[in-house]
Amino acid sequence: MEDQPGFPEFVQQQAGKLLEQTLQHIGLTFISLLIAVVIGVPLGILITRKKKLAGAILGIAGVLQTIPSIALLGFMIPLLGIGAKPAIVALFLYALLPIIRNTYTGILQVDATVIDAATGMGMSQQQLLLKVQLPLAMPVILAGIRTATVINVGVATLAAYIAAGGLGEFIFGGIALNNTNMILAGAIPAALLAILFDTGVARLQKLRMRSVKTALYILPFLLLILSSFYLLPAAYGSSLVAGFTPEFMGRKDGNLGLKQVYGLDMRTVVISDMIMYKAAYEKTLDVISGSSTDGRVKAFDLQVLEDDKHIFPPYYAAPIVRQATLDKYPELAPALNKLSGIINDSVMTELNYKVDHLKQDPALVASDFLKAKGLLQPARKGAKGTVVIGAKIFGDGYILANMYKLLVNGYTDLEAVTKTGLGGTKICFDALTNGQIDLYPEYTGTGLLVILQADKTVIDSLIADKQKVYDYVSTAFMQQYQIRWLPPIGFNNTYALMMRKQQATELHITSISDLKEYLQHH
Amino acid sequence: MIKLERVNKSFQNGKPAVSDVSFEVNTGETLVLLGTSGSGKTTTLRMINRLIAPDSGKIYVNGEAVTAQETTSLRRNIGYVLQDNGLFPHYTVAENIGIVPSLLKWDKKRIEERTRTLMEKLHLPADEYYDAYPQQLSGGQQQRVGLARALAADPPVLLMDEPFGALDPVTRASVRNEFRSLDEISNKTVIMVTHDVQEAFQLGDRICLMDKGTIQQTGTPAELLFSPANEFVTQFFREQRLLLELNAVKLSDIRTLLPTDHVTEKVSFILPEDASCWDALEQMTTLSAPVYYSFDDKLIRIDSAALMQAFTQYKQTISSNGRSTRLS
């Protein structure tokens, strides 16, 4: 962390990207809001007239609202693929409820005497709606739009997971990279946008009655303009599209390295690790930043491109444990070390394949594997103490955490508890240093580049040799954090660029240099 | 002209709201629908401008069945005043008054002229209130705007649903008096709903007393007092009987019973032609002196003893006759 630049410098460096993401964010928010208004307001009006429909429509919109946003995005992918479309649809669905509900209640709240007077004076139903109900319900409808806007600004950060851009790229990239500046560069503008739009609509709400009419004409226009922001950072480009995870985007051994060392410059979208492989398989993306042992490499028939200029450092997995825990329970280390040297790259890919693609339970895969290796012992149900095992959100972690749990339960009198699904390196490592977890499987490369953020000279001197990297992180972690690296498990889960096997063959691409060559000519 | 023929309406639960109601109101006449809450008077009123559809029976406005007319144009030709005024909070006073004229597509200038005229007549200075919003007005002023709005397109028919019901007693009396003296209503057919007996007697040419959805009696105030159709009618007016009677009996009704000595000296104040016994008594007590009244171009002097004697005599005559006695 010592040589991270200050926040203002970071923003200055990334100004172009920041502007692009902010515009995308505004665009995403307002395209979906516009659609939600166009559909939600008439629906709200409809259910004030056909009250039987009200329960059903409000119910459906309410249920949509309760679906966790990331899950909703997940549902959209099989239907609409990745990119802007599913993001806009998901945001639209979120914005729908507050708009329908407020239109409905706003119109019903209009003083019955006023409606009575308007009808009694001979207004048609349309005149009643346009001259009386809508203007009088407008403050409430605007309150709904306001709620929807703020929700959308927030949820739109998640669009970064499905290659739709927005400020989420910085936020999730920053979390994955343990880069506070990057998180702030995404989070502060997102918060500012939320505050800005919130007060903007609040202003509209407070306008005097007469100006409401003017506002009614300006509002759709404004929405349209803001929506079009999304289109501004238009696709620039190359013939192949790459999808990289937020973490990969900002790493020296990721996209930055690809640019510096290989001079690779291609059209890139940011996408979640979870859907990246499938997107490559479905030809939405051509090049992705996978991890070499991921089960989906096998499942989706992808080919790993050779890193011929060695920018991806060794990522050997090993459990890292709090020294305090090891001191307290000396029997823990031998139990954990039973796994050392047993799992190589192909074994890990196979295990991941079972979990990711065949949808087998990680706990079951773990116990089957240990049984096959003769390492499984029945749990002793010891009560000497509790050890909390963490794991990052990706495949390896789940399986390894489960294996360690079985080993600890079988070989010691300790009780192991798993806490899997921790968002990324930063979250996992912070949990470890704070003592919320006692150990988790980490990779040597991540330790060197992400956690220690070693100097360029140090990295260059170590990077080619896996043993040097391991020794360096072991020493540094112990000194700085009192955390012990146990012996490596055996497999090297390094970053890798990968393409569909078929396309790679057709284009004669086997290494990253080949890819660069191809892009230069097409 | 408004005519109802055997109109029936039941609530959704099947209970009758209005049963077999028939009456006729002539042009220039004011009929008051009087009754307690739940008597069906508002329902009856709202069937006339088709806010409620009757289950059976016929309703005619200006000689034509309401069902034969297009709803919106029917309503635009009927002024409608509501208890809680129902002014549009997002419209200025002028815009509120101009609603029906603009629905009828009058040109802007005509609407503005008409609005200013009406505001003048209803004592709402246009300079001050033309662009004001209803919330900035007092209750009495709001009700005046409501009245102006109903009168804006000069409809031949005016329906008023407890128009003064939401006002405090003082404001209420003043708005009521203004309404009574308004020249705009002299040629209109007016139906007004109220539960206030005094208001009914003050404003109604005829009163239609309703209870539980049926008409108990329709007639002039004097007819209801002096020849009640049934026990309900008698009971209904029991509490304020003397006051109502004094109001209902006009000096012109009892002129034959009053002293006939002519007065020749100059007097400063003469009671109006349609003054009631109550008006005369009120004058006497405020002035602590006899009052003057003129008929057949002859001025007579009345003191309280003479007045009460004539009043009592009159009542005896009509109750022994047992018939409607309004002579004028």
Side-chain angles (χ1 to χ4, degrees):
Chain A
M1 287 204 192
E2 53 275 11
D3 60 344
Q4 266 195 13
F7 181 64
E9 288 83 37
F10 181 86
V11 170
Q12 216 167 12
Q13 277 170 20
Q14 302 282 338
K17 190 112 184 80
L18 185 62
L19 181 69
E20 180 189 321
Q21 290 186 10
T22 309
L23 291 182
Q24 281 178 339
H25 205 94
I26 296 174
L28 277 177
T29 306
F30 282 95
I31 292 176
S32 48
L33 192 69
L34 182 68
I35 304 172
V37 169
V38 168
I39 292 178
V41 171
L43 258 182
I45 295 168
L46 177 77
I47 57 175
T48 59
R49 297 190 182 171
K50 303 210 185 306
K51 295 234 169 55
K52 280 180 193 160
L53 288 176
I57 287 184
L58 288 174
I60 293 169
V63 167
L64 287 173
Q65 193 83 4
T66 63
I67 301 175
S69 24
I70 193 80
L72 189 60
L73 288 173
F75 287 139
M76 291 298 144
I77 293 161
L79 301 174
L80 297 166
I82 59 165
K85 257 188 283 170
I88 289 169
V89 173
L91 289 173
F92 151 73
L93 291 176
Y94 273 111
L96 212 45
L97 177 69
I99 292 176
I100 298 179
R101 192 182 46 203
N102 282 38
T103 306
Y104 177 70
T105 45
I107 288 180
L108 289 191
Q109 264 173 19
V110 174
D111 187 352
T113 320
V114 174
I115 303 289
D116 203 38
T119 319
M121 281 188 293
M123 282 193 169
S124 65
Q125 212 176 23
Q126 195 192 351
Q127 287 167 330
L128 180 68
L129 179 70
L130 294 178
K131 288 175 193 268
V132 182
Q133 290 175 311
L134 279 184
L136 288 178
M138 197 46 65
V140 183
I141 297 176
L142 283 174
I145 294 178
R146 189 174 159 192
T147 312
T149 312
V150 176
I151 292 177
N152 272 9
V153 171
V155 178
T157 52
L158 295 175
Y161 274 140
I162 54 169
L167 289 162
E169 288 187 9
F170 270 153
I171 297 176
F172 296 114
I175 291 174
L177 292 166
N178 193 11
N179 183 335
T180 317
N181 286 335
M182 198 185 258
I183 300 177
L184 289 178
I188 292 176
L192 286 180
L193 284 183
I195 294 169
L196 186 75
F197 295 139
D198 189 48
T199 46
V201 185
R203 271 257 166 105
L204 272 183
Q205 257 176 297
K206 291 199 188 96
L207 281 182
R208 284 181 55 89
M209 288 299 182
R210 191 179 289 274
S211 342
V212 164
K213 291 171 202 159
T214 335
L216 272 180
Y217 295 111
I218 296 175
L219 199 64
F221 192 62
L222 208 66
L223 280 179
L224 268 176
I225 291 180
L226 290 169
S227 302
S228 63
F229 278 15
Y230 190 74
L231 305 171
L232 287 180
Y236 50 91
S238 57
S239 49
L240 298 180
V241 183
F244 295 154
T245 61
E247 176 158 5
F248 189 83
M249 285 298 284
R251 288 178 78 129
K252 288 172 194 152
D253 56 334
N255 197 30
L256 302 180
L258 285 177
K259 282 187 176 162
Q260 282 165 14
V261 179
Y262 286 96
L264 191 71
D265 195 8
M266 60 190 303
R267 200 173 125 214
T268 309
V269 295
V270 174
I271 189 166
S272 157
D273 170 72
M274 285 171 276
I275 54 174
M276 179 171 66
Y277 295 90
K278 189 138 192 269
Y281 175 70
E282 285 168 350
K283 303 184 182 175
T284 324
L285 298 175
D286 302 301
V287 180
I288 59 168
S289 61
S291 66
S292 53
T293 60
D294 196 289
R296 288 166 293 190
V297 176
K298 183 180 155 112
F300 292 126
D301 201 22
L302 302 175
Q303 178 173 339
V304 174
L305 302 185
E306 191 200 335
D307 175 22
D308 50 331
K309 290 186 181 170
H310 304 287
I311 61 158
F312 300 131
Y315 278 79
Y316 284 88
I320 60 172
V321 196
R322 292 165 61 79
Q323 185 58 43
T325 312
L326 289 175
D327 292 343
K328 198 169 167 193
Y329 309 122
E331 67 272 36
L332 185 61
L336 297 174
N337 286 340
K338 298 231 179 275
L339 215 54
S340 170
I342 287 187
I343 303 175
N344 64 20
D345 288 9
S346 60
V347 172
M348 195 66 230
T349 306
E350 185 69 37
L351 292 173
N352 280 330
Y353 175 70
K354 283 183 181 164
V355 172
D356 294 338
H357 198 70
L358 303 180
K359 309 294 176 206
Q360 293 179 7
D361 180 13
L364 190 70
V365 172
S367 76
D368 285 351
F369 176 77
L370 291 182
K371 200 183 281 171
K373 294 279 170 189
L375 289 169
L376 190 67
Q377 285 201 8
R380 292 201 210 162
K381 300 204 166 59
K384 191 177 168 198
T386 307
V387 174
V388 184
I389 303 168
K392 287 189 219 176
I393 204 153
F394 339 102
D396 292 354
Y398 282 116
I399 303 171
L400 293 174
N402 277 299
M403 287 185 187
Y404 285 130
K405 180 180 175 179
L406 292 168
L407 290 171
V408 171
N409 284 341
Y411 288 89
T412 72
D413 285 326
L414 298 166
E415 195 206 351
V417 178
T418 52
K419 207 174 219 177
T420 52
L422 298 173
T425 301
K426 181 175 169 55
I427 293 171
C428 235
F429 188 70
D430 283 350
L432 187 67
T433 50
N434 294 335
Q436 287 159 318
I437 58 175
D438 294 298
L439 66 116
Y440 76 90
E442 185 53 283
Y443 306 100
T444 50
T446 311
L448 178 70
L449 296 162
V450 181
I451 298 173
L452 295 173
Q453 304 204 343
D455 284 344
K456 192 173 166 17
T457 45
V458 178
I459 294 171
D460 289 345
S461 68
L462 299 171
I463 206 83
D465 189 331
K466 62 177 184 175
Q467 191 57 43
K468 278 186 184 167
V469 173
Y470 179 80
D471 292 343
Y472 180 84
V473 293
S474 297
T475 320
F477 267 59
M478 189 51 85
Q479 278 173 1
Q480 289 185 27
Y481 306 112
Q482 282 74 53
I483 285 168
R484 166 79 70 82
W485 282 78
L486 293 180
I489 301 166
F491 67 92
N492 178 15
N493 181 1
T494 187
Y495 270 122
L497 286 196
M498 43 189 87
M499 301 176 69
R500 286 183 299 283
K501 211 168 246 170
Q502 195 194 354
Q503 191 183 33
T505 318
E506 274 169 19
L507 304 178
H508 308 293
I509 296 174
T510 56
S511 67
I512 300 175
S513 295
D514 291 345
L515 176 64
K516 147 95 177 153
E517 197 72 6
Y518 173 82
L519 286 172
Q520 265 182 340
H521 296 103
H522 290 87
Chain B
M1 201 274 291
I2 297 173
K3 194 165 138 195
L4 273 73
E5 278 178 8
R6 313 197 60 137
V7 171
N8 284 284
K9 175 73 190 176
S10 299
F11 291 116
Q12 276 180 338
N13 60 17
K15 252 181 74 185
V18 168
S19 315
D20 208 20
V21 164
S22 306
F23 59 71
E24 200 173 331
V25 193
N26 296 315
T27 308
E29 192 185 22
T30 300
L31 177 80
V32 174
L33 295 176
L34 178 64
T36 51
S37 29
S39 58
K41 51 193 195 305
T42 297
T43 309
T44 306
L45 186 81
R46 289 164 68 87
M47 285 192 283
I48 297 168
N49 63 1
R50 294 184 68 185
L51 288 171
I52 297 176
D55 296 336
S56 67
K58 287 247 182 258
I59 299 172
Y60 300 92
V61 170
N62 299 324
E64 205 181 341
V66 290
T67 44
Q69 305 177 41
E70 212 231 321
T71 321
T72 50
S73 74
L74 169 80
R75 289 175 182 155
R76 286 169 195 174
N77 283 308
I78 298 178
Y80 186 40
V81 185
L82 294 88
Q83 174 169 11
D84 295 311
N85 71 58
L87 296 179
F88 293 1
H90 57 307
Y91 276 29
T92 61
V93 166
E95 285 169 333
N96 264 294
I97 295 174
I99 291 171
V100 181
S102 63
L103 289 176
L104 292 170
K105 307 215 158 46
W106 288 17
D107 66 61
K108 278 209 171 109
K109 201 156 171 248
R110 186 172 166 211
I111 296 176
E112 185 179 336
E113 270 170 26
R114 176 67 179 153
T115 304
R116 288 187 184 277
T117 312
L118 276 170
M119 288 180 74
E120 197 69 28
K121 283 184 181 170
L122 285 158
H123 309 290
L124 291 161
D127 298 340
E128 206 174 328
Y129 297 115
Y130 193 84
D131 288 319
Y133 283 89
Q135 311 86 287
Q136 299 166 295
L137 270 52
S138 71
Q141 288 169 328
Q142 290 181 7
Q143 203 55 36
R144 287 191 190 104
V145 176
L147 194 55
R149 184 175 67 174
L151 293 170
D154 200 15
V157 172
L158 193 60
L159 302 180
M160 306 174 87
D161 189 358
E162 305 250 10
F164 314 113
L167 304 176
D168 64 85
V170 178
T171 319
R172 190 177 176 137
S174 82
V175 179
R176 202 153 72 186
N177 284 328
E178 256 170 51
F179 172 74
R180 193 157 70 149
S181 57
L182 207 61
D183 61 344
E184 292 270 341
I185 59 156
S186 60
N187 59 349
K188 294 196 193 313
T189 311
V190 182
I191 298 186
M192 185 171 90
V193 162
T194 185
H195 61 263
D196 183 324
V197 178
Q198 281 192 56
E199 188 167 289
F201 275 69
Q202 194 186 6
L203 298 179
D205 295 321
R206 280 188 302 139
I207 294 171
C208 171
L209 180 61
M210 294 184 71
D211 183 50
K212 297 189 184 108
T214 55
I215 294 180
Q216 301 298 319
Q217 188 173 2
T218 309
T220 62
E223 279 167 352
L224 263 65
L225 281 175
F226 301 123
S227 45
N230 57 34
E231 185 58 20
F232 177 83
V233 180
T234 316
Q235 286 301 314
F236 197 84
F237 300 117
R238 195 167 47 95
E239 271 182 33
Q240 307 171 51
R241 182 146 210 116
L242 178 60
L243 174 66
L244 295 173
E245 284 178 354
L246 286 168
N247 260 312
V249 178
K250 308 285 173 200
L251 288 182
S252 53
D253 294 334
I254 56 166
R255 63 188 170 202
T256 48
L257 306 167
L258 287 167
T260 48
D261 359 330
H262 297 173
V263 185
T264 46
E265 71 256 40
K266 203 109 172 94
V267 292
S268 58
F269 181 78
I270 303 172
L271 286 166
E273 203 186 336
D274 66 341
S276 64
C277 294
W278 177 261
D279 295 331
L281 268 176
E282 216 175 20
Q283 274 301 318
M284 284 175 211
T285 43
T286 21
L287 300 174
S288 312
V291 292
Y292 300 91
Y293 181 67
S294 105
F295 59 80
D296 300 341
D297 293 329
K298 284 165 193 160
L299 201 60
I300 56 164
R301 186 168 66 183
I302 312 168
D303 60 21
S304 55
L307 180 70
M308 287 320 287
Q309 199 190 1
F311 174 72
T312 319
Q313 243 180 333
Y314 175 80
K315 268 182 68 180
Q316 279 165 357
T317 338
I318 52 171
S319 48
S320 59
N321 286 352
R323 60 172 185 85
S324 170
T325 48
R326 183 127 189 219
L327 305 172
S328 56

